[in-house]
Amino acid sequence: MTEEFDEMYGTFKALLDSFPPAEAVKRLERLGISPEIIQQIRGRHEQQTIRIKELEEPHAVVLGNRDTWYTGPHAKDKCWPAIVDLLHKDGWPQEPAIKSLDDSSTRVVSLLNHPKEKAFSTRGLVVGYVQSGKTTNFTSVMAKAADRGYKLFIVLAGIHNGLRRQTQARLVQQLVEPNPSMWSQLTGLDKDFTPQENPASYFGRSNKTHVLCVVKKNATVLRKLARWLDKASDYLGDCPALIIDDEADQATVATKSINPLILNIMSSLPRSAYVGYTASPFANLLIDPSAEDLYPKDFVVNLPKPAGHFGTEVLFGRYALDGEDPEQVDDGYDMIRSVPADDVSCVRPETRADVEGFEPIITETLRKSVEYFWLVTAARRVRGTGTSHSTMLIHTSVNTAVHNSFERPLKHLRDRTARSLTDAELLARLRGLWERETDRVPAEDFGEAKVSFEQLVPELPGVLDSCRVIMDNSSSEDRLDYENGSVVAIAVGGNTLSRGLTLEGLSVSYFVRAVSAYDTLLQMGRWFGFRNGYADLPRIWMTDELAEWFRHLATVESEMRRDIDIYMTEDETPLTFAVRLRTHPALRVTAAAKMRDAVTASSSYGGKRVQTHYFHTNADWLRGNIDAARALVAASVANAVRVSERSAEGRYVFRGVPHEVVTDFLSRYKFHEESPENDAKLIIDYIRKRVSQARSLGRWNVAVVGLPPKGDEFTFAPGVSLGRNNRARLDLPNPAPDFADIKTLMSRRDAAVDLAGDTAKLNEQEIMDERRKHLPDTGLLVLYPIDKVSAPSPSKRLRAPLNAEEHVIGVGLVFPAPQHGDSTVESYISADLSSVRIEEEDFSLLDGEGA
């Protein structure tokens, strides 16, 4: 019956080509077809007509707060289901991994233009995490776009051959091989783009295949591609194209050769969507939106953080953002090990003149990191889980001559250790190292079983025998290759190991490279990613300064992602709301050329909380702050409208203190110079502008918050004494002299110290709402007396005693939200880098074909 019905339906469609619908129905009746069957034929025809119209004419539905034409995969799709099948075979669970990938890739495709639109030029940006599966996400986006009618797919895969080849292989495996008849390829595994004969044959109506092209961001290669597309210009009007820019902040932004070529390629494609993918989008977010450039004017989206991913915040912790409860912000895992500043000159030449003839010294920390790598590799062999590859990264310099200088001493260390594995002194040292590390980071905390030293010792000879020392840089012939058997390698390198390329089984990193900008620093972190089967074992050796930089960067990332999410939750676009990037006194946000169109954002303290967490520890500096605090309390006692005393709780509140008393204190109190957000001059200027322009902040509540008195109180003024707070410092094995970072000073409860009623259960936002309701124009300043010893509790493994020379005064400020606009203060922060030698990335590869 089905074949007979299909034949009748075909007859009806043929009649419709020559006659109106009513006449076509009459002719079916003359053929003896029953009215019931004719009705079924007409119903089928109407459904087909609607479906064809939906495919050809863009329509929109609301998804989140955006209109879109794409709401997810269809049952008849080919490319996306093939990816799902492959992921299932690789062990990906449906929940949450594949479901999360499906949702996030659908979100990106939903923001593209419908492929049937007459003309479009979309510009978007997708922000992921370093080593978090961005390639799998954009492959999924390509698959879904192909299923809906996008034809040409150009992937800009970094600037090095290694990453381009890796990306080509992944796309062939996940897109081409499952549906080979659906794809044509312009590039191969071992060849970048080479002009093909008769380009029109790829894009003419007779060729129904999708076209895949994976190229480096290299001027020579992109010129070839641009010229080739020009030859096919007559056929590209009917060719919806998706350009994926992997590592979109590298080489794309503000480069004289690459940037114009990408724009040129887009100009030859009447229907094109450009989507940049990066984990460090700082440069992309600072492009001039008014220029004909690649600013993501249409959308910016965050990818969700995958479960089990090791990111900046997980490893280094971060500082609390506005509106967060500082007590809920973690310090990070105890996996960072300190390299003393004195060791740096032993592993990296101090000046360019020292490069020639440089010989690195195997310092105690470098030796310890290498020995720990061998122990980890042995332990992973005992477990037998996760990838069979095991890699250590050593990154001290961008200079290839410096990389090569490590080969001899590292091989000597390996060979000497292999010969001494029966030596009692060596085994005792290795046992001590292993037991210290596994005690500091218990395997049970990560769902793993602890491996005893006795279990891993038998594996050590095989580990050392298979361990290679590889110099992986743009001039080396021996490169990391994970495709031909298990790899155990100590990789010494620079830029070729610093972006995009995955270091399989990376467990130990030794990193002291000097960097100048957020994006460079973040991309150096090859230790980010997934550590299935050995999540308790990774370690990173770096200087304390670099660890602090990464902690700051984790805060910048979190704040940036919170801004980006505004696009998906509020009625804002990248053309109406600019993502803010917090600055740092010793780091640029990105390269100077990429910031030339940036402006200093207006800085407003309205509705925000400011607190101190950096302190000097010398007595003179601390006594000056004690004197300033005591003068403030004395003036508050004398000028307060009312005093709330809760001495049994260790709290006093002086209400209605004139703002001049507060600004006088701020002019005397010394904030640590590495705390740009705690700039006394900016805060004073802000208060005075609010007072003069909005008649707000004229009165303040001044509180002192400590512990209940127990006989050894800190006295601010006669009758104002309380116990000292305990605030341990972050534990840095080689702390800088005269410096302490307590990370968090002010609790959520303290921000409500001057509010009436039970505020203990209020969250951060509820507290600010209460302040807006009851204290709309009143600021809060809180003083904290901190005990100079401040020993940490046993549960705080990442903390150490404060050990200051005098008691410390911490300061917290809570500003009311503005009622009628807000006064702003422009801040300009510039670091003097003239005395610091910074190694910049080498972009000479962009103009030639080699990499």
Side-chain angles (χ1 to χ4, degrees):
M1 179 65 185
T2 301
E3 291 182 6
E4 185 179 351
F5 182 85
D6 286 344
E7 184 177 344
M8 288 187 287
Y9 177 67
T11 302
F12 180 60
K13 285 182 65 180
L15 290 170
L16 286 174
D17 290 337
S18 304
F19 304 100
E23 179 62 26
V25 169
K26 288 180 180 178
R27 289 179 178 264
L28 286 179
E29 292 173 344
R30 291 175 197 155
L31 293 173
I33 300 173
S34 69
E36 293 80 7
I37 297 296
I38 291 175
Q39 188 61 35
Q40 291 177 27
I41 291 172
R42 292 193 67 176
R44 183 182 194 186
H45 180 68
E46 287 174 3
Q47 290 176 354
Q48 287 288 89
T49 302
I50 291 171
R51 181 174 180 273
I52 291 169
K53 187 175 181 181
E54 285 180 344
L55 288 174
E56 291 184 347
E57 296 182 10
H59 67 288
V61 297
V62 175
L63 187 64
N65 74 324
R66 291 287 187 274
D67 290 343
T68 182
W69 58 278
Y70 183 84
T71 57
H74 286 174
K76 293 185 178 181
D77 291 345
K78 300 290 186 184
C79 296
W80 165 247
I83 290 180
V84 174
D85 289 344
L86 288 171
L87 295 178
H88 278 309
K89 290 176 183 177
D90 287 343
W92 280 49
Q94 181 64 37
E95 295 282 355
I98 294 178
K99 176 66 166 58
S100 177
L101 176 64
D102 187 10
D103 291 344
S104 60
S105 55
T106 288
R107 161 53 74 192
V108 177
V109 178
S110 76
L111 295 166
L112 303 179
N113 290 69
H114 194 294
K116 293 292 185 180
E117 287 186 27
K118 299 297 183 185
F120 55 86
S121 183
T122 311
R123 284 157 169 73
L125 182 67
V126 179
V127 181
Y129 295 80
V130 175
Q131 301 278 35
S132 66
K134 294 189 300 298
T135 304
T136 302
N137 187 276
F138 71 65
T139 304
S140 302
V141 168
M142 293 168 66
K144 291 179 176 182
D147 284 331
R148 286 298 179 279
Y150 275 78
K151 183 175 181 64
L152 172 62
F153 296 86
I154 299 172
V155 180
L156 308 174
I159 66 173
H160 296 288
N161 281 329
L163 179 56
R164 194 213 71 81
R165 187 174 188 275
Q166 187 181 75
T167 304
Q168 177 86 37
R170 286 277 298 276
L171 293 173
V172 168
Q173 178 201 16
Q174 296 188 327
L175 290 177
V176 179
E177 290 178 354
N179 295 289
S181 64
M182 295 175 60
W183 291 89
S184 300
Q185 296 185 67
L186 297 175
T187 53
L189 199 60
D190 295 312
K191 66 167 186 172
D192 211 325
F193 177 75
T194 302
Q196 308 292 307
E197 293 296 327
N198 189 17
S201 65
Y202 286 86
F203 307 115
R205 291 184 179 273
S206 61
N207 189 336
K208 302 298 183 182
T209 63
H210 306 294
V211 181
L212 177 64
C213 181
V214 185
V215 295
K216 290 196 306 290
K217 282 185 271 191
N218 170 281
T220 303
V221 174
L222 293 179
R223 284 191 196 99
K224 291 178 185 176
L225 177 59
R227 286 195 294 266
W228 188 77
L229 288 172
D230 281 342
K231 293 181 180 178
S233 58
D234 290 344
Y235 300 89
L236 295 178
D238 194 31
C239 177
L242 175 59
I243 300 172
I244 298 290
D245 188 352
D246 192 14
E247 306 298 338
D249 63 301
Q250 185 189 37
T252 296
V253 184
T255 51
K256 293 181 179 179
S257 56
I258 305 303
N259 183 274
L261 285 168
I262 295 174
L263 293 169
N264 186 27
I265 288 171
M266 290 184 66
S267 69
S268 68
L269 298 166
R271 288 192 267 174
S272 68
Y274 167 92
V275 182
Y277 272 74
T278 180
S280 46
F282 313 113
N284 307 81
L285 294 170
L286 297 176
I287 296 171
D288 181 3
S290 66
E292 181 55 36
D293 209 325
L294 294 172
Y295 179 75
K297 62 181 178 62
D298 295 294
F299 63 86
V300 185
V301 293
N302 287 319
L303 293 182
K305 181 178 176 295
H309 179 262
F310 277 57
T312 330
E313 183 177 343
V314 168
L315 286 168
F316 297 94
R318 65 169 172 84
Y319 301 109
L321 306 181
D322 290 330
E324 287 187 324
D325 184 351
E327 296 172 344
Q328 303 302 315
V329 180
D330 198 4
D331 287 341
Y333 295 148
D334 187 13
M335 294 180 175
I336 313 302
R337 302 293 173 260
S338 181
V339 175
D342 292 344
D343 281 14
V344 175
S345 61
C346 299
V347 295
R348 188 184 76 210
E350 296 189 65
T351 67
R352 286 192 176 91
D354 298 328
V355 170
E356 188 174 352
F358 175 77
E359 282 284 335
I361 297 171
I362 303 294
T363 62
E364 182 182 358
T365 54
L366 179 54
R367 175 184 56 76
K368 192 178 292 186
S369 66
V370 173
E371 289 176 346
Y372 178 72
F373 167 66
W374 291 328
L375 294 171
V376 167
T377 307
R380 290 177 56 203
R381 289 187 175 184
V382 172
R383 284 182 179 170
T385 57
T387 177
S388 61
H389 305 302
S390 187
T391 309
M392 176 179 179
L393 168 65
I394 295 178
H395 194 356
T396 70
S397 170
V398 72
N399 192 286
T400 57
V402 176
H403 305 160
N404 297 336
S405 70
F406 275 87
E407 183 173 15
R408 187 188 62 80
L410 285 174
K411 286 183 175 179
H412 177 70
L413 175 62
R414 177 196 62 191
D415 297 343
R416 186 182 66 197
T417 303
R419 291 193 301 268
S420 306
L421 282 177
T422 57
D423 181 75
E425 183 178 349
L426 172 64
L427 289 174
R429 187 173 77 232
L430 295 177
R431 177 190 292 274
L433 173 61
W434 182 249
E435 291 181 350
R436 283 193 304 275
E437 288 297 336
T438 52
D439 284 347
R440 287 181 68 172
V441 186
E444 296 78 16
D445 290 356
F446 296 84
E448 300 291 347
K450 181 176 180 178
V451 178
S452 69
F453 185 70
E454 285 74 18
Q455 287 176 288
L456 62 79
V457 166
E459 299 289 345
L460 284 174
V463 168
L464 286 159
D465 183 60
S466 60
C467 180
R468 298 162 59 204
V469 177
I470 296 177
M471 312 299 115
D472 194 307
N473 53 50
S474 57
S475 63
S476 60
E477 295 183 4
D478 190 17
R479 306 289 284 270
L480 283 169
D481 180 6
Y482 297 107
E483 297 177 10
N484 296 300
S486 296
V487 170
V488 178
I490 299 172
V492 185
N495 287 337
T496 58
L497 299 181
S498 69
R499 184 185 280 267
L501 198 67
T502 299
L503 300 181
E504 301 288 351
L506 180 64
S507 51
V508 178
S509 301
Y510 188 92
F511 177 84
V512 296
R513 158 104 180 259
V515 294
S516 61
Y518 291 177
D519 39 18
T520 308
L521 184 68
L522 188 57
Q523 292 292 349
M524 294 289 119
R526 293 295 92 195
W527 47 79
F528 301 129
F530 301 93
R531 302 292 175 257
N532 299 327
Y534 63 106
D536 56 317
L537 299 178
R539 299 292 185 273
I540 306 166
W541 271 261
M542 62 171 46
T543 63
D544 293 344
E545 179 183 51
L546 278 167
E548 190 281 324
W549 288 2
F550 274 106
R551 193 177 308 116
H552 169 84
L553 190 52
T555 311
V556 172
E557 280 190 278
S558 186
E559 203 166 43
M560 173 191 71
R561 292 177 195 278
R562 190 165 71 171
D563 268 8
I564 290 171
D565 283 340
I566 288 173
Y567 297 134
M568 293 296 112
T569 59
E570 300 180 18
D571 189 20
E572 300 283 1
T573 74
L575 292 176
T576 61
F577 175 78
V579 174
R580 300 161 301 163
L581 301 171
R582 184 183 294 207
T583 59
H584 187 279
L587 289 169
R588 293 195 304 261
V589 172
T590 184
K594 298 176 183 179
M595 293 193 296
R596 63 171 179 253
D597 296 314
V599 297
T600 301
S602 294
S603 161
S604 168
Y605 295 101
K608 295 184 179 179
R609 192 170 63 175
V610 175
Q611 58 181 314
T612 51
H613 59 85
Y614 289 165
F615 300 97
H616 286 290
T617 56
N618 72 81
D620 289 342
W621 192 84
L622 294 171
R623 288 192 193 109
N625 282 347
I626 290 173
D627 292 342
R630 284 176 170 156
L632 170 62
V633 174
S636 299
V637 170
N639 291 279
V641 173
R642 183 161 56 93
V643 178
S644 301
E645 178 185 342
R646 288 180 280 166
S647 57
E649 299 177 21
R651 291 173 177 240
Y652 295 80
V653 179
F654 306 94
R655 299 179 183 277
V657 175
H659 77 276
E660 291 90 350
V661 173
V662 172
T663 54
D664 286 348
F665 164 74
L666 292 171
S667 66
R668 293 185 61 184
Y669 182 89
K670 301 297 183 187
F671 293 100
H672 196 284
E673 58 273 11
E674 289 192 13
S675 304
E677 69 275 18
N678 298 337
D679 187 311
K681 183 179 182 302
L682 288 177
I683 295 172
I684 291 169
D685 288 348
Y686 176 78
I687 293 171
R688 288 173 176 165
K689 284 187 177 183
R690 282 283 298 262
V691 171
S692 64
Q693 295 176 3
R695 296 186 180 180
S696 177
L697 291 181
R699 292 283 177 174
W700 284 69
N701 292 339
V702 175
V704 290
V705 172
L707 299 178
K710 294 182 179 179
D712 184 22
E713 294 86 26
F714 184 94
T715 300
F716 280 101
V720 184
S721 298
L722 62 169
R724 296 184 295 274
N725 298 285
N726 190 295
R727 293 290 190 273
R729 71 163 87 200
L730 289 175
D731 184 15
L732 303 175
N734 297 286
D738 191 28
F739 175 77
D741 179 1
I742 66 170
K743 191 169 181 282
T744 298
L745 172 73
M746 196 176 193
S747 71
R748 180 183 69 240
R749 178 190 175 204
D750 298 342
V753 68
D754 56 341
L755 291 174
D758 183 9
T759 60
K761 295 183 179 179
L762 297 181
N763 62 33
E764 196 84 15
Q765 186 57 51
E766 289 168 339
I767 288 172
M768 296 309 292
D769 290 343
E770 286 295 301
R771 298 195 68 84
R772 186 182 296 108
K773 186 186 304 180
H774 299 292
L775 299 168
D777 296 310
T778 303
L780 171 65
L781 187 151
V782 186
L783 296 175
Y784 296 82
I786 300 171
D787 186 78
K788 62 184 180 182
V789 177
S790 288
S793 63
S795 63
K796 295 288 188 179
R797 290 198 294 255
L798 299 182
R799 298 290 177 138
L802 184 59
N803 285 343
E805 294 178 1
E806 185 52 89
H807 298 313
V808 177
I809 299 295
V811 176
L813 295 146
V814 181
F815 293 89
Q819 301 296 307
H820 307 288
D822 198 7
S823 305
T824 58
V825 180
E826 297 291 341
S827 61
Y828 300 88
I829 301 172
S830 178
D832 182 4
L833 304 177
S834 59
S835 61
V836 180
R837 184 176 69 84
I838 299 296
E839 298 181 312
E840 301 291 353
E841 291 187 70
D842 180 8
F843 287 109
S844 61
L845 294 169
L846 302 178
D847 294 314
E849 288 196 61

